[in-house]
């Protein structure tokens, strides 16, 4: 069974600074996908970034990047140049393929402070 | 850009009543999902649906729950006799089969059972 763990319930960062959100996971599979979802106060979940486990290169998406350490089963999210609009709940998630259930972590509440 | 839609955005019901939550997945997607998020907790998988039948379901998805695709566009979740603990945000998601890397989420329906 897959599990996803986010050990930081809450974090805060100053506007324009960089913050890293941690995520670890456990799976016995070799092929899987990892995601970071953002859930702003409006509550719709938005995909921020995804990583295919078979790719060694870390995914990047504008100000968002990941540090994927497959051997350590770690998948952290780095947000550079934090903006007030980044304030949200961030969920780390994984699945084996697009037609299997997503398994979510408990989330990290990020507050960006002006 | 295509998106998953859900209605209603907020549903209030009395304990013991039946509710139907509606979702319109992205039109060319073939896999559909329901997830639940109790306030302050992580998102949990309920059920997945493909080819007019349930593919997978979690322990939460007991006999009080059912899903249906009554026509070519809607995907519904029915709770037959609601309990207080069913109060949660319910998210619908869909994914393509061919490009099995992302599930797209709807905005959610907040269900309040009184």
């Amino acid at each position: 069974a897959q599990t996803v763990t986010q050990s930081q319930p809450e974090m805060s960062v100053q506007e324009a600074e960089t913050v890293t959100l941690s995520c670890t996971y456990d799976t016995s599979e070799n092929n899987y996908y990892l995601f970071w979802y953002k859930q702003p106060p409006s509550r719709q979940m938005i995909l921020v970034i995804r990583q295919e486990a078979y790719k060694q290169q870390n995914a990047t998406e504008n100000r968002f990047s990941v540090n994927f350490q497959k051997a350590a089963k770690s998948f952290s999210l780095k947000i550079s140049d934090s903006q007030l609009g980044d304030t949200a709940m961030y969920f780390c998630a994984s699945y084996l393929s697009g037609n299997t259930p997503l398994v979510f972590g408990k989330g990290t509440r990020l507050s960006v402070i002006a | 850009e295509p998106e998953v839609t859900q209605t209603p955005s907020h549903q209030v019901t009395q304990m013991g009543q039946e509710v139907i939550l509606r979702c319109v997945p992205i039109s060319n997607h073939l896999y559909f999902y329901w997830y639940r998020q109790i306030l302050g907790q992580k998102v949990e998988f309920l059920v997945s649906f493909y080819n007019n039948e349930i593919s997978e379901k979690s322990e939460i998805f007991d006999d009080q729950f059912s899903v249906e695709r009554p026509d070519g566009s809607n995907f519904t979740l029915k709770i037959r006799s609601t309990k207080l603990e069913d109060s949660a945000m319910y998210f619908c998601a869909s994914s393509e089969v061919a490009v099995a890397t992302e599930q797209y989420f709807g905005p959610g329906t907040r269900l309040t059972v009184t």
Side-chain angles (χ1 to χ4, degrees), chain A residues 33-40 43-52 59 61-62 64 66 75 77 89-95 102 104, chain B residues 1 94 101-106:
Chain A
Y33 300 83
L34 298 164
F35 304 84
W36 279 98
Y37 278 90
K38 171 184 176 181
Q39 188 181 40
R43 300 189 73 82
Q44 180 162 12
M45 268 197 291
I46 306 163
L47 180 66
V48 173
I49 198 166
R50 65 169 172 258
Q51 175 82 41
E52 293 89 342
E61 195 73 39
N62 300 316
F64 299 88
V66 298
F75 182 62
L77 174 70
M89 196 76 168
Y90 286 82
F91 290 99
C92 180
S94 74
Y95 64 37
L102 273 165
F104 286 86
Chain B
E1 186 174 332
S94 69
T101 59
E102 183 171 348
Q103 294 179 17
Y104 293 81
F105 282 79

Side-chain angles (χ1 to χ4, degrees), chain A residues 10-61:
Chain A
E10 293 188 25
M11 293 192 72
S12 61
V13 63
Q14 292 286 337
E15 196 175 8
E17 297 294 307
T18 294
V19 65
T20 298
L21 309 183
S22 301
C23 173
T24 58
Y25 62 92
D26 192 18
T27 179
S28 57
E29 302 293 328
N30 198 42
N31 294 320
Y32 50 89
Y33 300 83
L34 298 164
F35 304 84
W36 279 98
Y37 278 90
K38 171 184 176 181
Q39 188 181 40
S42 66
R43 300 189 73 82
Q44 180 162 12
M45 268 197 291
I46 306 163
L47 180 66
V48 173
I49 198 166
R50 65 169 172 258
Q51 175 82 41
E52 293 89 342
Y54 61 85
K55 289 187 179 178
Q56 291 187 333
Q57 186 174 7
N58 288 326
T60 62
E61 195 73 39

Side-chain angles (χ1 to χ4, degrees), chain B residues 18-80:
Chain B
E18 174 183 285
V19 294
I20 298 176
L21 310 182
R22 292 183 167 78
C23 168
V24 179
I26 294 172
S27 62
N28 63 332
H29 287 188
L30 298 178
Y31 277 81
F32 315 115
Y33 313 82
W34 283 102
Y35 292 84
R36 179 181 81 175
Q37 184 184 28
I38 295 172
L39 186 64
Q41 299 187 22
K42 67 178 178 179
V43 178
E44 301 171 292
F45 167 74
L46 292 177
V47 66
S48 60
F49 191 85
Y50 170 71
N51 198 26
N52 285 320
E53 59 182 27
I54 291 174
S55 304
E56 193 167 344
K57 60 183 181 179
S58 72
E59 297 167 350
I60 303 168
F61 194 86
D62 61 22
D63 292 343
Q64 292 299 312
F65 292 89
S66 63
V67 289
E68 192 178 35
R69 188 152 163 84
D71 53 43
S73 60
N74 290 283
F75 179 51
T76 62
L77 173 69
K78 181 193 290 187
I79 309 175
R80 290 190 182 83

